[in-house]
Structures are given as C-alpha cells and as structure tokens.
Amino acid sequence: MIPEVSGIIWGKMEPTVPHRPTGVREQVVILDFGGQYTQLIARRVRECQVFCEILPYDTPLPAIRARQPKGIILSGGPASVYEPNAPRVDPELFLMGIPVLGICYGLQLMAYLLGGEVQPAEEREYGRTLLTVVHSEPLFDQLDYHLTCWMSHGDHVQTPPPGFVILAETENTPVAATGDLQRNLFGVQFHPEVSHTVFGMHLLRNFLYTVCGCQPLWTTRNFIDETIEAIRQRVGDAHVLCAVSGGIDSCTVAGLVQRAIGEQLTCIFVDHGLLRKGEAEQVRELFTQHFPSRLIFVDARERFLNRLQGVVDPEQKRRLIGEEFVRVFEEHADEIGDCQYLAQGTLYPDVIESGTRLAAKIKTHHNVGGLPEWMRMELIEPLRYLFKDEVRAVAQELGLPPSIVWRQPFPGPGLAVRVLGEITGEKLEQVREADAILNEELERTGWARRVWQAFAVLPDVRSVGVMGDQRTYQHPIVLRVVHSEDAMTAEPAELPWDLLLRIANRIVNEVNGVNRVLYDLSSKPPATIEWE
Ligand code: XMP
C-alpha cells in the first residue's frame, strides 16, 4: 500500500492542524507554547532527518495520537507555570508511552504537572552557561562532562518530579536536565536548538534516535518519491493548474507535479505589471528551456493596476492581488476543463507568518491568507511544511538549473509591496529601474550570490534636493540588502562603502524623480525583510 503523506499536500486552508490520517510517515510532534525558538527546534529536528510538525500546545490528545508520533517535544514559551492562564497540556500526554523532551518552559510544565517543584530563579540565567553532566545516558551519551549551553529563563525546576533523576546542573540551576529513564520523559532547561549550544544537535540526535527510535528517513529523495505518489493518488485523471512565477518555490512545485502527472499539468504565469525589469521575458524563456509542460502566459498588467488604484493599505493590496490572481487562474482553469486543482508554492514560513492560532499574523502572504472564500479549485501545496533550504535541496535533486535554485525570493504581490502607499505607473518604473541598478552592481561585484535578497523600495515621502542649481522635491529610494538562512530572521548586509556610493550615485543620476538614496540597516526582527 502506498503510504499517505497527508501532512504534506492535503488540507486546504488549515495552517495549524492539517488533516492527517494514520499510517503516515515517521514523525515527531512539537507542541508550541509560543516560544521564540519553536521554528528553530523544527529546523533542527529536520536537520536530523526526522520529519516533524509544530502543533499548538492545546491540540487534543486524539489528534496527537492519530499522527503516531515517535516522540513529542514541548517548546519553550514566555509564560510561568504558576500564572493563572499559563498554557498547559493534559497530563495524560505523559502516560501515552511516547517519549517526551521538554525544553525550557516545556521542562518546567512537565515537572510541575508531574509533581516536581518549579521556582522563580534568584538570578535570571541568560546566555552562555557552563553545564556539568551528572548522568550521561541517554541524552548526554558520548558527550563531555563539562559543556557550554545557552540559557534564557526566569523560572527553573528546583526539585524534579518523583521518578526523575538529575542529568545535568549549572551553578544557578540545580536541574538543568532531568529524566525519568523508565518512562522516557526528559527535560532540559537550556536551549539545544540554538547554535550557541554547540552540543545541541548531538543531544537532539540522542533523543531522536536513541530514545524515540527514529530513523533518518526525512531525506530529499524520500520526500520527492512520497510527494509524487501522493499527488498521483489525489489527482487521479483530473488536470492541475500550477501557478508559476519563475521563483524556486513555484518551479519546484511544477517539477514535482510534472513528474507525478505529466501532461495533466498546465502551468500559468501571470504578468501583473508588478514584476522586476525584464522579468516576464526571463521567466518565459527559463520555462521553455527547462519544463516540458504547457505554459499559459497572461498579460494582466492593466487589470491589476486598475484594481490597485487608490489602494494604500498593505494588507488590502495583498488581499486584492491574491483575489485577482485566483480570478485569472479560475478563468483559465475553465478553459482547460476538468481542472479542479491549483498547485502553488506555499512554504512553511508563509503559513507561519500569515498567522496561526498562536503566532500573531505578521502579514498575509498572498498565497495563504490572500485566497478568497469563493475560490472553487482545491489547493495542492507540496511544500507547505518545508523551509526554504529544504526546497532548495528538492529543487537541486529534481535537476532544476542554478538560475532557478539560487534565484532571489520575490514576493507574489511583487513591487506592489515595495512601492509604499498608492501605486502608480511612474513609481513602479522608478523602483524597477533602481532595483535593476542595485542588482546589476551586486552581480558585477560578486555580491549577488552572497546575499539572500537585494531590492529597492520607494517610500511614500518626498524630500528637498538640489540638482543643476534647481530645487527638487522628490522621492528617495531605500536599498534593502539582507543575509538570511530561511527568511525567518535576517541581517543587513555590510556592503562595501564604495559600492554603496556607486549604486546611490547611479540611481540619482539614472532614475528620474529620485534625489536621495538610503540604506536600510534593520534586522528581522524587529523589522521584516519587505517593507509592507
Ligand atoms: P518578510 O517581509 O515577511 O519576507 O520578512 C520574508 C520573505 O518572504 C518573501 N515574501 C513573500 N513571498 N508572497 C511570497 O511569495 C508574499 O506575499 C511575500 N511577502 C514576503 C520576502 O521577499 C522575503 O524573502
């Protein structure tokens, strides 16, 4: 029987608890208590080649059981177990015979619920801390007795629950790691998922492989094989429309669906007039060279720009664009006939940032929250649980060319979220030209490959300048160039000063209506990568 991989492609618009029947792939469940590192825990588990899903802490036990997890990880979180509304789990969770690893708040909660004692620490421990191991097995197996870990906590466990032994301690934390070796319940006060805990991956592997008995099955090859099979099963003889933008996510989806159902796939590229300079032509060429599928190319520039007239609110822009995309897709799906499915390249960070029940909504990624209620087609989203680096690995394995694999991410709403305030043809032209100059210079100096993303933004302000003895009152251009691993966090790139000056100089000289250039020095958080 073909294994179902429901967490991967089924489930239409439910970001936190996708429908997942039994008989599924080996996985670990991470219960999220709102900790800032929860996504990082998931990434680390995946790096150990074990599939995992993040679920809200109050997911009912039957829903957890249905996933048949080999282990459960309780994340950190900002609460204190003694607060009246502190997030809790049903203590039955610890009786299911499934190994548990509590991290920080996760440990404190487990200790509290099982009869241990949790106290506010006299001294808050934060940062790198020396850890002494007092009992190696199984979490600290093959590790030194003195280790450096990363701590970030107020409360700590003073006395572990009955049946638990202390595994490690620090100067201020008597129970830095603890476990009930019979019931396979473990907890650590430090954060094994952050890179400052150098042995963190080793500890996670000990938990996943030795305690939970997981195997390193979450590999790119397995993902591809299972996904292709699942798409075939789901689609049958029907047709699929795949929305492509030329970026890595949508091209990877097209590659997977193409391998699954061949000629039943039609791709569609919509030029909404919000693309970068020369982009529509490039995508067309790239597609023709590398994909055997049929491509419908739609020139919808006027239609989108009309729709966006007078709109200034970023969320409204995203919603309108998302809606208009679906209108165009459905019109063309009608032409194809028996086309019930729309495949698109939604990633895990899009889902997370569009707001799950626990995580606040940061912005509506047009392909998640921007989809209208009235949409008829069902979604196929094979990458919905993947991080960007995992998608790159899939794309490489599928043999997509480096120009796609390493293409800079570009948001679906395109330049609409880079022209702040009302969008006009003139502003779009300015931001497009400035963007082209920036990227041309980065390409010329070898910086293009070293950064995650580089683009221009046109803020909705004007300032006074002087050009050729004349006063100007024009828009500035903001340059945004960032390093990132997975778009969840980002740092501004330290471009050489002379390169920045050259770019700025070219922009004010070559782009009409721009008299000033600024460089954005913000990290994410607190900013986001895009400005809207
Ligand atoms: P933010 O601005 O949220 O962006 O830090 C994170 C990454 O996602 C890209 N991005 C989008 N991609 N649809 C997309 O396909 C969107 O609506 C969207 N918004 C942002 C952004 O360029 C960055 O790489």
Side-chain angles (χ1 to χ4, degrees):
M1 210 181 94
I2 294 144
E4 289 181 88
V5 283
S6 58
I8 302 295
I9 65 163
W10 313 100
K12 198 174 172 193
M13 298 269 290
E14 175 49 78
T16 51
V17 191
H19 166 61
R20 193 180 175 86
T22 51
V24 292
R25 76 155 48 95
E26 183 173 295
Q27 70 161 298
V28 161
V29 160
I30 299 170
L31 292 184
D32 181 16
F33 292 90
Q36 52 175 328
Y37 298 131
T38 307
Q39 277 86 48
L40 201 53
I41 301 174
R43 283 176 52 82
R44 297 291 179 246
V45 172
R46 303 263 187 107
E47 282 167 26
C48 296
Q49 297 185 322
V50 174
F51 182 70
C52 60
E53 242 187 289
I54 300 174
L55 301 180
Y57 69 89
D58 55 355
T59 304
L61 291 190
I64 296 177
R65 234 185 243 115
R67 289 170 162 79
Q68 301 176 355
K70 300 277 282 189
I72 297 171
I73 296 179
L74 311 180
S75 84
S80 167
V81 288
Y82 291 111
E83 283 168 19
N85 293 323
R88 305 253 162 97
V89 288
D90 183 339
E92 277 279 319
L93 182 92
F94 304 108
L95 304 176
M96 296 200 300
I98 302 171
V100 177
L101 174 67
I103 295 177
C104 197
Y105 179 80
L107 157 68
Q108 294 158 16
L109 182 68
M110 178 164 62
Y112 173 75
L113 292 175
L114 296 178
E117 193 193 348
V118 180
Q119 280 186 354
E122 274 168 28
E123 280 185 55
R124 210 173 174 275
E125 239 177 351
Y126 186 82
R128 284 192 177 83
T129 311
L130 194 66
L131 181 88
T132 305
V133 175
V134 291
H135 189 110
S136 283
E137 286 189 3
L139 291 190
F140 296 92
D141 194 25
Q142 309 269 329
L143 284 168
D144 288 345
Y145 281 98
H146 294 291
L147 298 161
T148 304
C149 66
W150 180 263
M151 288 281 194
S152 172
H153 65 109
D155 291 357
H156 68 214
V157 177
Q158 185 66 30
T159 320
F164 279 65
V165 289
I166 294 176
L167 305 178
E169 62 193 14
T170 72
E171 196 180 334
N172 295 313
T173 308
V175 186
T178 180
D180 178 329
L181 308 185
Q182 250 72 53
R183 289 188 289 170
N184 276 333
L185 305 176
F186 297 92
V188 291
Q189 184 52 69
F190 55 87
H191 289 272
E193 69 277 17
V194 306
S195 54
H196 307 295
T197 302
V198 178
F199 67 94
M201 282 295 281
H202 192 119
L203 183 140
L204 284 176
R205 276 195 293 268
N206 281 348
F207 176 69
L208 295 168
Y209 301 154
T210 312
V211 178
C212 304
C214 293
Q215 291 177 48
L217 296 174
W218 175 248
T219 62
T220 309
R221 193 64 256 167
N222 285 353
F223 169 80
I224 293 174
D225 292 345
E226 290 175 11
T227 303
I228 288 175
E229 202 46 59
I231 295 171
R232 274 190 199 134
Q233 292 286 309
R234 179 161 179 218
V235 170
D237 296 329
H239 285 257
V240 175
L241 190 65
C242 180
V244 292
S245 66
I248 180 174
D249 308 338
S250 59
C251 284
T252 305
V253 171
L256 287 166
V257 180
Q258 214 283 317
R259 274 164 184 72
I261 56 164
E263 289 184 359
Q264 289 158 252
L265 167 71
T266 303
C267 292
I268 182 165
F269 174 81
V270 180
D271 180 355
H272 51 12
L274 304 161
L275 299 172
R276 288 165 289 188
K277 193 173 175 179
E279 190 162 21
E281 298 72 34
Q282 274 170 26
V283 172
R284 205 176 201 163
E285 205 181 301
L286 206 74
F287 199 88
T288 332
Q289 274 174 12
H290 299 285
F291 290 88
S293 324
R294 195 157 77 93
L295 176 71
I296 303 176
F297 186 94
V298 188
D299 181 353
R301 285 179 290 181
E302 219 177 298
R303 174 174 178 167
F304 273 82
L305 293 190
N306 284 342
R307 196 82 208 280
L308 287 168
Q309 233 173 29
V311 181
V312 293
D313 176 64
E315 282 296 292
Q316 175 79 348
K317 283 183 190 172
R318 283 173 179 270
R319 258 192 313 275
L320 287 179
I321 292 170
E323 241 182 70
E324 208 55 28
F325 263 125
V326 174
R327 273 206 184 93
V328 177
F329 296 155
E330 295 211 327
E331 284 164 19
H332 287 274
D334 287 345
E335 287 166 22
I336 296 167
D338 193 21
C339 184
Q340 308 165 26
Y341 298 102
L342 176 71
Q344 61 171 14
T346 311
L347 301 196
Y348 208 13
D350 304 345
V351 174
I352 293 166
E353 294 206 336
S354 290
T356 58
R357 199 150 46 81
L358 290 184
K361 172 157 124 183
I362 309 295
K363 56 182 73 165
T364 308
H365 285 252
H366 77 285
N367 49 359
V368 183
L371 296 171
E373 289 281 315
W374 45 258
M375 178 173 168
R376 277 179 284 126
M377 282 186 288
E378 284 180 41
L379 288 179
I380 291 182
E381 299 182 308
L383 312 179
R384 196 178 171 91
Y385 290 90
L386 263 56
F387 292 103
K388 194 81 171 187
D389 46 351
E390 293 176 315
V391 178
R392 290 221 160 99
V394 173
Q396 277 176 315
E397 182 88 23
L398 289 175
L400 297 188
S403 55
I404 293 180
V405 176
W406 297 107
R407 204 176 161 84
Q408 275 188 30
F410 185 61
L415 299 181
V417 292
R418 293 179 182 174
V419 170
L420 313 189
E422 190 180 356
I423 297 162
T424 64
E426 190 190 353
K427 288 185 191 170
L428 282 172
E429 206 40 45
Q430 288 169 335
V431 83
R432 203 175 267 136
E433 285 301 318
D435 187 272
I437 292 170
L438 168 66
N439 280 292
E440 209 177 287
E441 288 297 327
L442 296 188
E443 200 62 58
R444 190 181 62 79
T445 51
W447 272 89
R449 274 291 184 102
R450 291 160 65 183
V451 300
W452 169 269
Q453 222 169 353
F455 56 88
V457 177
L458 189 90
D460 195 18
V461 291
R462 287 193 290 172
S463 73
V464 173
V466 53
M467 256 185 196
D469 297 333
Q470 296 291 325
R471 171 193 152 100
T472 59
Y473 188 50
Q474 298 176 327
H475 289 290
I477 280 286
V478 176
L479 304 176
R480 182 87 167 125
V481 186
V482 294
H483 294 294
S484 177
E485 253 184 56
D486 55 11
M488 299 300 290
T489 60
E491 293 297 329
E494 289 184 40
L495 292 188
W497 189 241
D498 56 344
L499 175 59
L500 278 170
L501 289 182
R502 184 180 156 79
I503 295 167
N505 204 345
R506 277 195 62 191
I507 290 176
V508 287
N509 281 313
E510 296 174 37
V511 184
N512 279 338
V514 172
N515 63 356
R516 203 178 278 268
V517 176
L518 314 171
Y519 192 59
D520 184 346
L521 295 175
S522 334
S523 306
K524 173 184 181 176
T528 56
I529 296 178
E530 303 287 346
W531 270 49
E532 284 194 340

